[in-house]
Amino acid sequence: MCSVRRRTRFAPSPTGFMHIGNLRSALYAWLVAKSHDGDFILRIEDTDRERYVEGATELIYETLAECGLSHDEGPDVGGPCGPYVQSERLSHYRPFAEKLVEEGKAYRCFCTKERLENLAEARESGEGESSFGYDRHCRDLSPEEIQKNLDEGKPYVIRQKMPLEGETTYHDEVYGDITIANKELEDQILLKSDGFPTYNFANVIDDHEMGITHVVRGCEYLSSTPKYNLLYEAFGWEKPVYIHLPLILGTDGKKLSKRHGATSFADLHKEGYLTAAILNYIAFLGWAPGSDTREVFSLEELRGVFDEKHISKAPAVFDYQKLRWMNGEYLKALDDEAFADYIRPYTQAFYEGAELRPEAESMIAEILHSRIESGADLAGMLSFLKAPAEHGSDLYLNKKQKLTPALSRRVLEAVCQACSSLEQWDKSSIYDSLMGLKETLALKTGQVMGPPRLALSGQQVTPGGAVEIMTILGREESLARMQSEIEKLPEAEPEA
């Protein structure tokens, strides 16, 4: 195994979408390697055919590429340690398993499925002799019994002989020294009867042959790592450095699941979260940059400050509100053109595919640029563009602006008259027209701008003011809405 250059791997199973926990493992493995100018390897573990999902491997490639987590070796780029797909490495595993059998460190187990099921039932009912795992029935079969079974063609698995006494201790970079009593370690299966390796066995063989120096994975593997290490010791191989990552919980303290919200990269993307924001936020799920108090980092900046010593053993909480805030910061940092490109699919969906005037589309992007945290916010913020909210004449009462329903009617009449004859219906022309009315009517800016905004939206708070809303709605719709309001408002103030 290479001990000079760091080598990490991300070894997902192609069983569906990239879960947040999977993506964090990939990100941390990438950072552990790249923060030391090491190598990041992609390996596809596809031997669990029952859970295999068609197209999932391609989705893994696409997600890593989208996130900028480029791999130095892998199924699609090649490398000196291939093949990098586990189902293509099946010939690698049996020789190692047979070697352990020859050396007395593993054995052939001929127990039938029915016997194992009966054993499990007896154990669950408390009637079995063994309270934990397999009872090692075939561990000490005589050579004659073994040969007889082989001659009869009985199917078998290969199990590792675990030590029956003492303890196994290993060091994890996050959780420190972990000790497991050997009596709790079942004689694990290395090779199944169909010739396929088990997950644990294939991992050790692959990691050794690919020179993996640092294994980065979730803390659910803490208790099974002694099994890995006993295999390394059985072969006389150098063990890797272990970095186990904390659990990811929802804000209710329970393991993150779909009941909390989107849990895959693809789903978060659909909800309008930018790739950079997702990656930035996930980086903070169990890690902090030491003395650096910033929260917004590019991937390259993360690479520069990352140190696995700052990974926490405490569970990380996935807070969707914090992710929304971070996404909002990334949206604000986009230039106008990039933000317009980002918002366009949401605008088109809001208008159900209807073609918008360029100035209307541009204006929507302008008024939302600093106001939204996700493109999914658009529909709620702009619902009034489809139809004004229900309201009464008290909407036009504003003591601070000295605005009343009667004054609002007078302003709306003047606005309709002035704007109906505009040669150009654009932001600049509308603004100049309204500001001209301010002088003509001897009113304050708020008294002129307020009534059309209220009439057009039917609500007190809107993203953008009267000029922006009129630009988006267009001449015909704007004048029609204001004229409708004029007919509802009184011509004079009611007598006291």
Side-chain angles (χ1 to χ4, degrees):
M1 179 184 293
C2 173
S3 59
V4 177
R5 187 177 180 86
R6 282 196 179 194
R7 287 172 65 83
T8 66
R9 48 75 169 170
F10 177 51
S13 298
T15 56
F17 290 112
M18 182 85 80
H19 188 273
I20 288 167
N22 297 134
L23 183 56
R24 185 187 64 171
S25 294
L27 172 61
Y28 280 27
W30 188 90
L31 289 170
V32 167
K34 295 305 176 181
S35 62
H36 288 263
D37 295 323
D39 297 324
F40 176 61
I41 290 89
L42 173 64
R43 185 171 74 229
I44 302 298
E45 300 191 339
D46 64 341
T47 53
D48 187 347
R49 304 310 292 179
E50 290 183 3
R51 297 177 61 224
Y52 178 81
V53 174
E54 192 70 36
T57 300
E58 289 69 27
L59 190 62
I60 291 168
Y61 296 148
E62 291 169 8
T63 302
L64 293 179
E66 171 69 22
C67 293
L69 303 178
S70 57
H71 43 282
D72 301 283
E73 301 170 28
D76 53 338
V77 298
C81 302
Y84 296 90
V85 177
Q86 216 165 56
S87 61
E88 298 174 9
R89 298 176 57 82
L90 295 181
S91 61
H92 290 238
Y93 307 118
R94 180 169 288 280
F96 285 108
E98 296 288 357
K99 182 175 187 293
L100 292 180
V101 172
E102 292 169 9
E103 295 176 354
K105 298 172 183 177
Y107 60 95
R108 293 179 176 86
C109 173
F110 298 92
C111 288
T112 63
K113 180 180 179 181
E114 290 73 24
R115 182 182 186 280
L116 295 176
E117 288 175 349
N118 292 335
L119 178 65
E121 289 177 6
R123 186 169 60 247
E124 290 174 6
S125 64
E127 298 176 359
E129 295 181 8
S130 174
S131 61
F132 180 82
Y134 174 61
D135 63 355
R136 300 183 169 95
H137 176 76
C138 295
R139 179 170 172 136
D140 296 312
L141 293 179
S142 67
E144 292 76 20
E145 289 178 287
I146 294 172
Q147 190 58 52
K148 179 175 180 293
N149 289 334
L150 291 174
D151 291 343
E152 292 176 358
K154 287 186 177 180
Y156 65 87
V157 300
I158 293 180
R159 291 182 182 268
Q160 183 184 7
K161 284 186 177 180
M162 292 297 187
L164 303 178
E165 298 177 345
E167 298 175 328
T168 295
T169 299
Y170 73 95
H171 180 77
D172 179 75
E173 293 296 289
V174 176
Y175 290 86
D177 289 341
I178 305 292
T179 299
I180 302 291
N182 289 332
K183 64 180 181 181
E184 297 180 7
L185 300 176
E186 183 179 10
D187 282 4
Q188 66 175 335
I189 296 174
L190 306 181
L191 211 64
K192 293 179 282 188
S193 58
D194 60 4
F196 274 67
T198 58
Y199 178 84
N200 289 350
F201 187 54
N203 256 263
V204 170
I205 303 303
D206 292 345
D207 284 348
H208 171 73
E209 291 196 329
M210 294 180 186
I212 302 304
T213 63
H214 292 67
V215 171
V216 183
R217 60 189 177 205
C219 64
E220 62 269 25
Y221 292 100
L222 278 170
S223 61
S224 61
T225 297
K227 298 178 182 179
Y228 291 80
N229 279 355
L230 287 169
L231 276 172
Y232 278 103
E233 290 174 6
F235 287 117
W237 296 339
E238 182 180 351
K239 302 182 190 76
V241 174
Y242 292 107
I243 301 173
H244 286 91
L245 310 179
L247 284 173
I248 301 177
L249 306 177
T251 52
D252 59 358
K254 297 180 180 179
K255 189 173 181 180
L256 189 69
S257 67
K258 289 185 177 180
R259 70 175 178 273
H260 296 104
T263 58
S264 73
F265 174 79
D267 286 342
L268 289 172
H269 224 250
K270 287 177 184 176
E271 291 187 3
Y273 294 102
L274 295 169
T275 298
I278 297 171
L279 212 59
N280 191 161
Y281 181 70
I282 287 177
F284 279 79
L285 292 178
W287 171 85
S291 59
D292 195 327
T293 58
R294 288 179 298 160
E295 292 187 274
V296 177
F297 288 84
S298 67
L299 182 59
E300 197 57 35
E301 288 170 333
L302 285 170
R303 175 178 178 170
V305 301
F306 186 82
D307 186 338
E308 59 263 26
K309 293 178 181 177
H310 294 145
I311 297 175
S312 171
K313 66 177 69 173
V317 176
F318 194 98
D319 186 340
Y320 287 89
Q321 290 304 312
K322 186 61 179 292
L323 174 60
R324 279 180 55 81
W325 169 82
M326 184 167 284
N327 199 61
E329 295 301 298
Y330 273 87
L331 290 177
K332 290 173 187 174
L334 294 178
D335 61 38
D336 292 342
E337 184 176 352
F339 183 80
D341 290 340
Y342 166 82
I343 208 72
R344 186 168 294 115
Y346 300 97
T347 305
Q348 291 176 342
F350 177 74
Y351 281 102
E352 300 174 344
E355 189 171 344
L356 274 179
R357 301 179 348 270
E359 58 269 28
E361 186 178 56
S362 175
M363 187 56 61
I364 288 174
E366 181 180 320
I367 65 175
L368 293 182
H369 197 162
S370 62
R371 290 180 170 90
I372 65 171
E373 295 178 327
S374 165
D377 298 342
L378 182 146
M381 279 193 165
L382 300 183
S383 59
F384 65 88
L385 292 180
K386 287 191 172 180
E390 293 291 331
H391 63 279
S393 61
D394 57 347
L395 178 70
Y396 297 90
L397 287 171
N398 188 316
K399 290 183 178 180
K400 185 177 180 181
Q401 294 288 350
K402 295 182 179 179
L403 193 64
T404 65
L407 176 58
S408 295
R409 174 172 178 146
R410 188 158 64 93
V411 170
L412 289 174
E413 289 173 337
V415 171
C416 284
Q417 184 176 359
C419 291
S420 62
S421 59
L422 285 177
E423 291 185 10
Q424 294 289 332
W425 192 269
D426 55 34
K427 181 181 179 181
S428 177
S429 300
I430 296 169
Y431 176 81
D432 290 344
S433 180
L434 295 187
M435 292 306 290
L437 287 177
K438 173 189 170 185
E439 302 299 326
T440 302
L441 301 175
L443 295 173
K444 296 177 181 178
T445 301
Q447 291 174 316
V448 173
M449 297 292 187
R453 183 181 65 82
L454 297 171
L456 295 168
S457 68
Q459 57 192 51
Q460 284 287 356
V461 180
T462 58
V467 174
E468 289 79 11
I469 296 173
M470 290 171 71
T471 303
I472 295 169
L473 290 175
R475 186 194 306 266
E476 184 178 344
E477 179 68 15
S478 296
L479 295 178
R481 289 192 186 190
M482 287 188 285
Q483 191 60 50
S484 176
E485 285 296 290
I486 290 170
E487 295 170 2
K488 299 174 186 177
L489 294 174
E491 294 185 15
E493 306 297 348
E495 295 184 7

PDB file of all heavy atoms in Angstrom, residues 372-395:
ATOM      1  N   ILE A 372     -35.299  36.361  -2.980  1.00  0.00           N
ATOM      2  CA  ILE A 372     -35.666  34.959  -2.831  1.00  0.00           C
ATOM      3  C   ILE A 372     -34.482  34.129  -2.352  1.00  0.00           C
ATOM      4  O   ILE A 372     -33.316  34.485  -2.545  1.00  0.00           O
ATOM      5  CB  ILE A 372     -36.213  34.364  -4.142  1.00  0.00           C
ATOM      6  CG1 ILE A 372     -35.123  34.336  -5.235  1.00  0.00           C
ATOM      7  CG2 ILE A 372     -37.432  35.114  -4.609  1.00  0.00           C
ATOM      8  CD1 ILE A 372     -35.553  33.558  -6.467  1.00  0.00           C
ATOM      9  N   GLU A 373     -34.786  33.004  -1.718  1.00  0.00           N
ATOM     10  CA  GLU A 373     -33.765  32.066  -1.270  1.00  0.00           C
ATOM     11  C   GLU A 373     -33.792  30.787  -2.092  1.00  0.00           C
ATOM     12  O   GLU A 373     -32.912  29.951  -1.980  1.00  0.00           O
ATOM     13  CB  GLU A 373     -33.976  31.751   0.217  1.00  0.00           C
ATOM     14  CG  GLU A 373     -33.756  32.978   1.102  1.00  0.00           C
ATOM     15  CD  GLU A 373     -34.003  32.701   2.569  1.00  0.00           C
ATOM     16  OE1 GLU A 373     -34.890  31.872   2.881  1.00  0.00           O
ATOM     17  OE2 GLU A 373     -33.319  33.310   3.402  1.00  0.00           O
ATOM     18  N   SER A 374     -34.823  30.668  -2.934  1.00  0.00           N
ATOM     19  CA  SER A 374     -34.943  29.529  -3.840  1.00  0.00           C
ATOM     20  C   SER A 374     -35.913  29.896  -4.947  1.00  0.00           C
ATOM     21  O   SER A 374     -36.845  30.677  -4.723  1.00  0.00           O
ATOM     22  CB  SER A 374     -35.459  28.293  -3.081  1.00  0.00           C
ATOM     23  OG  SER A 374     -35.910  27.306  -3.981  1.00  0.00           O
ATOM     24  N   GLY A 375     -35.700  29.340  -6.118  1.00  0.00           N
ATOM     25  CA  GLY A 375     -36.607  29.606  -7.231  1.00  0.00           C
ATOM     26  C   GLY A 375     -38.033  29.170  -6.931  1.00  0.00           C
ATOM     27  O   GLY A 375     -38.988  29.707  -7.496  1.00  0.00           O
ATOM     28  N   ALA A 376     -38.159  28.204  -6.017  1.00  0.00           N
ATOM     29  CA  ALA A 376     -39.497  27.736  -5.643  1.00  0.00           C
ATOM     30  C   ALA A 376     -40.295  28.813  -4.925  1.00  0.00           C
ATOM     31  O   ALA A 376     -41.513  28.694  -4.783  1.00  0.00           O
ATOM     32  CB  ALA A 376     -39.379  26.495  -4.764  1.00  0.00           C
ATOM     33  N   ASP A 377     -39.634  29.885  -4.457  1.00  0.00           N
ATOM     34  CA  ASP A 377     -40.331  30.987  -3.777  1.00  0.00           C
ATOM     35  C   ASP A 377     -41.120  31.850  -4.757  1.00  0.00           C
ATOM     36  O   ASP A 377     -41.997  32.613  -4.350  1.00  0.00           O
ATOM     37  CB  ASP A 377     -39.331  31.894  -3.046  1.00  0.00           C
ATOM     38  CG  ASP A 377     -38.565  31.160  -1.959  1.00  0.00           C
ATOM     39  OD1 ASP A 377     -39.025  30.085  -1.542  1.00  0.00           O
ATOM     40  OD2 ASP A 377     -37.514  31.666  -1.537  1.00  0.00           O
ATOM     41  N   LEU A 378     -40.780  31.773  -6.038  1.00  0.00           N
ATOM     42  CA  LEU A 378     -41.335  32.702  -7.028  1.00  0.00           C
ATOM     43  C   LEU A 378     -42.860  32.686  -7.052  1.00  0.00           C
ATOM     44  O   LEU A 378     -43.494  33.743  -7.013  1.00  0.00           O
ATOM     45  CB  LEU A 378     -40.771  32.377  -8.412  1.00  0.00           C
ATOM     46  CG  LEU A 378     -41.213  33.288  -9.560  1.00  0.00           C
ATOM     47  CD1 LEU A 378     -40.079  33.442 -10.578  1.00  0.00           C
ATOM     48  CD2 LEU A 378     -42.446  32.734 -10.287  1.00  0.00           C
ATOM     49  N   ALA A 379     -43.458  31.514  -7.123  1.00  0.00           N
ATOM     50  CA  ALA A 379     -44.914  31.425  -7.271  1.00  0.00           C
ATOM     51  C   ALA A 379     -45.633  32.116  -6.125  1.00  0.00           C
ATOM     52  O   ALA A 379     -46.609  32.840  -6.335  1.00  0.00           O
ATOM     53  CB  ALA A 379     -45.341  29.964  -7.365  1.00  0.00           C
ATOM     54  N   GLY A 380     -45.146  31.916  -4.895  1.00  0.00           N
ATOM     55  CA  GLY A 380     -45.790  32.541  -3.751  1.00  0.00           C
ATOM     56  C   GLY A 380     -45.611  34.038  -3.722  1.00  0.00           C
ATOM     57  O   GLY A 380     -46.534  34.780  -3.371  1.00  0.00           O
ATOM     58  N   MET A 381     -44.436  34.502  -4.113  1.00  0.00           N
ATOM     59  CA  MET A 381     -44.153  35.939  -4.079  1.00  0.00           C
ATOM     60  C   MET A 381     -44.895  36.701  -5.168  1.00  0.00           C
ATOM     61  O   MET A 381     -45.247  37.866  -4.986  1.00  0.00           O
ATOM     62  CB  MET A 381     -42.648  36.182  -4.229  1.00  0.00           C
ATOM     63  CG  MET A 381     -41.865  35.998  -2.957  1.00  0.00           C
ATOM     64  SD  MET A 381     -40.188  36.665  -3.151  1.00  0.00           S
ATOM     65  CE  MET A 381     -39.694  36.742  -1.435  1.00  0.00           C
ATOM     66  N   LEU A 382     -45.125  36.057  -6.303  1.00  0.00           N
ATOM     67  CA  LEU A 382     -45.705  36.759  -7.452  1.00  0.00           C
ATOM     68  C   LEU A 382     -47.131  36.324  -7.773  1.00  0.00           C
ATOM     69  O   LEU A 382     -47.631  36.609  -8.861  1.00  0.00           O
ATOM     70  CB  LEU A 382     -44.819  36.549  -8.685  1.00  0.00           C
ATOM     71  CG  LEU A 382     -43.376  37.045  -8.580  1.00  0.00           C
ATOM     72  CD1 LEU A 382     -42.653  36.823  -9.902  1.00  0.00           C
ATOM     73  CD2 LEU A 382     -43.306  38.504  -8.178  1.00  0.00           C
ATOM     74  N   SER A 383     -47.803  35.689  -6.839  1.00  0.00           N
ATOM     75  CA  SER A 383     -49.163  35.216  -7.116  1.00  0.00           C
ATOM     76  C   SER A 383     -50.093  36.344  -7.548  1.00  0.00           C
ATOM     77  O   SER A 383     -51.012  36.141  -8.349  1.00  0.00           O
ATOM     78  CB  SER A 383     -49.734  34.521  -5.889  1.00  0.00           C
ATOM     79  OG  SER A 383     -49.772  35.405  -4.776  1.00  0.00           O
ATOM     80  N   PHE A 384     -49.844  37.563  -7.063  1.00  0.00           N
ATOM     81  CA  PHE A 384     -50.705  38.705  -7.406  1.00  0.00           C
ATOM     82  C   PHE A 384     -50.612  39.084  -8.874  1.00  0.00           C
ATOM     83  O   PHE A 384     -51.473  39.801  -9.402  1.00  0.00           O
ATOM     84  CB  PHE A 384     -50.368  39.919  -6.538  1.00  0.00           C
ATOM     85  CG  PHE A 384     -48.991  40.469  -6.771  1.00  0.00           C
ATOM     86  CD1 PHE A 384     -48.771  41.432  -7.767  1.00  0.00           C
ATOM     87  CD2 PHE A 384     -47.913  40.051  -6.016  1.00  0.00           C
ATOM     88  CE1 PHE A 384     -47.510  41.949  -7.993  1.00  0.00           C
ATOM     89  CE2 PHE A 384     -46.642  40.557  -6.237  1.00  0.00           C
ATOM     90  CZ  PHE A 384     -46.437  41.515  -7.229  1.00  0.00           C
ATOM     91  N   LEU A 385     -49.559  38.614  -9.571  1.00  0.00           N
ATOM     92  CA  LEU A 385     -49.437  38.948 -10.985  1.00  0.00           C
ATOM     93  C   LEU A 385     -50.519  38.245 -11.804  1.00  0.00           C
ATOM     94  O   LEU A 385     -50.924  38.745 -12.859  1.00  0.00           O
ATOM     95  CB  LEU A 385     -48.059  38.557 -11.518  1.00  0.00           C
ATOM     96  CG  LEU A 385     -46.870  39.362 -10.980  1.00  0.00           C
ATOM     97  CD1 LEU A 385     -45.573  38.861 -11.588  1.00  0.00           C
ATOM     98  CD2 LEU A 385     -47.037  40.856 -11.259  1.00  0.00           C
ATOM     99  N   LYS A 386     -50.979  37.118 -11.321  1.00  0.00           N
ATOM    100  CA  LYS A 386     -52.059  36.416 -12.027  1.00  0.00           C
ATOM    101  C   LYS A 386     -53.417  37.040 -11.719  1.00  0.00           C
ATOM    102  O   LYS A 386     -54.280  37.120 -12.589  1.00  0.00           O
ATOM    103  CB  LYS A 386     -52.052  34.936 -11.637  1.00  0.00           C
ATOM    104  CG  LYS A 386     -50.884  34.165 -12.249  1.00  0.00           C
ATOM    105  CD  LYS A 386     -51.054  32.664 -12.063  1.00  0.00           C
ATOM    106  CE  LYS A 386     -49.988  31.908 -12.832  1.00  0.00           C
ATOM    107  NZ  LYS A 386     -50.126  30.436 -12.678  1.00  0.00           N
ATOM    108  N   ALA A 387     -53.582  37.483 -10.480  1.00  0.00           N
ATOM    109  CA  ALA A 387     -54.830  38.154 -10.081  1.00  0.00           C
ATOM    110  C   ALA A 387     -54.584  38.869  -8.772  1.00  0.00           C
ATOM    111  O   ALA A 387     -53.916  38.319  -7.889  1.00  0.00           O
ATOM    112  CB  ALA A 387     -55.967  37.152  -9.931  1.00  0.00           C
ATOM    113  N   PRO A 388     -55.090  40.104  -8.622  1.00  0.00           N
ATOM    114  CA  PRO A 388     -54.876  40.832  -7.369  1.00  0.00           C
ATOM    115  C   PRO A 388     -55.499  40.074  -6.200  1.00  0.00           C
ATOM    116  O   PRO A 388     -56.503  39.373  -6.358  1.00  0.00           O
ATOM    117  CB  PRO A 388     -55.592  42.166  -7.597  1.00  0.00           C
ATOM    118  CG  PRO A 388     -55.805  42.258  -9.066  1.00  0.00           C
ATOM    119  CD  PRO A 388     -55.893  40.863  -9.576  1.00  0.00           C
ATOM    120  N   ALA A 389     -54.886  40.216  -5.027  1.00  0.00           N
ATOM    121  CA  ALA A 389     -55.445  39.596  -3.828  1.00  0.00           C
ATOM    122  C   ALA A 389     -56.763  40.282  -3.459  1.00  0.00           C
ATOM    123  O   ALA A 389     -56.966  41.467  -3.743  1.00  0.00           O
ATOM    124  CB  ALA A 389     -54.447  39.722  -2.677  1.00  0.00           C
ATOM    125  N   GLU A 390     -57.663  39.531  -2.838  1.00  0.00           N
ATOM    126  CA  GLU A 390     -58.932  40.102  -2.385  1.00  0.00           C
ATOM    127  C   GLU A 390     -58.658  41.172  -1.332  1.00  0.00           C
ATOM    128  O   GLU A 390     -57.837  40.983  -0.432  1.00  0.00           O
ATOM    129  CB  GLU A 390     -59.825  39.004  -1.804  1.00  0.00           C
ATOM    130  CG  GLU A 390     -60.310  37.988  -2.834  1.00  0.00           C
ATOM    131  CD  GLU A 390     -61.304  38.592  -3.814  1.00  0.00           C
ATOM    132  OE1 GLU A 390     -62.019  39.541  -3.420  1.00  0.00           O
ATOM    133  OE2 GLU A 390     -61.356  38.130  -4.964  1.00  0.00           O
ATOM    134  N   HIS A 391     -59.375  42.303  -1.401  1.00  0.00           N
ATOM    135  CA  HIS A 391     -59.122  43.395  -0.462  1.00  0.00           C
ATOM    136  C   HIS A 391     -60.314  44.344  -0.424  1.00  0.00           C
ATOM    137  O   HIS A 391     -61.198  44.300  -1.283  1.00  0.00           O
ATOM    138  CB  HIS A 391     -57.869  44.159  -0.868  1.00  0.00           C
ATOM    139  CG  HIS A 391     -58.005  44.820  -2.216  1.00  0.00           C
ATOM    140  ND1 HIS A 391     -57.827  44.129  -3.391  1.00  0.00           N
ATOM    141  CD2 HIS A 391     -58.324  46.098  -2.567  1.00  0.00           C
ATOM    142  CE1 HIS A 391     -58.021  44.932  -4.421  1.00  0.00           C
ATOM    143  NE2 HIS A 391     -58.339  46.153  -3.948  1.00  0.00           N
ATOM    144  N   GLY A 392     -60.290  45.231   0.570  1.00  0.00           N
ATOM    145  CA  GLY A 392     -61.295  46.276   0.675  1.00  0.00           C
ATOM    146  C   GLY A 392     -60.651  47.641   0.504  1.00  0.00           C
ATOM    147  O   GLY A 392     -59.435  47.756   0.304  1.00  0.00           O
ATOM    148  N   SER A 393     -61.446  48.687   0.617  1.00  0.00           N
ATOM    149  CA  SER A 393     -60.915  50.047   0.407  1.00  0.00           C
ATOM    150  C   SER A 393     -59.967  50.476   1.510  1.00  0.00           C
ATOM    151  O   SER A 393     -59.171  51.413   1.319  1.00  0.00           O
ATOM    152  CB  SER A 393     -62.074  51.044   0.304  1.00  0.00           C
ATOM    153  OG  SER A 393     -62.834  51.038   1.506  1.00  0.00           O
ATOM    154  N   ASP A 394     -60.023  49.767   2.671  1.00  0.00           N
ATOM    155  CA  ASP A 394     -59.101  50.135   3.750  1.00  0.00           C
ATOM    156  C   ASP A 394     -57.646  49.815   3.387  1.00  0.00           C
ATOM    157  O   ASP A 394     -56.722  50.239   4.089  1.00  0.00           O
ATOM    158  CB  ASP A 394     -59.489  49.434   5.046  1.00  0.00           C
ATOM    159  CG  ASP A 394     -59.524  47.912   4.901  1.00  0.00           C
ATOM    160  OD1 ASP A 394     -59.483  47.420   3.755  1.00  0.00           O
ATOM    161  OD2 ASP A 394     -59.596  47.229   5.938  1.00  0.00           O
ATOM    162  N   LEU A 395     -57.452  49.067   2.315  1.00  0.00           N
ATOM    163  CA  LEU A 395     -56.087  48.816   1.835  1.00  0.00           C
ATOM    164  C   LEU A 395     -55.362  50.127   1.534  1.00  0.00           C
ATOM    165  O   LEU A 395     -54.143  50.220   1.649  1.00  0.00           O
ATOM    166  CB  LEU A 395     -56.145  47.942   0.568  1.00  0.00           C
ATOM    167  CG  LEU A 395     -54.811  47.609  -0.118  1.00  0.00           C
ATOM    168  CD1 LEU A 395     -53.980  46.652   0.738  1.00  0.00           C
ATOM    169  CD2 LEU A 395     -55.042  46.982  -1.497  1.00  0.00           C
TER     170      LEU A 395
END
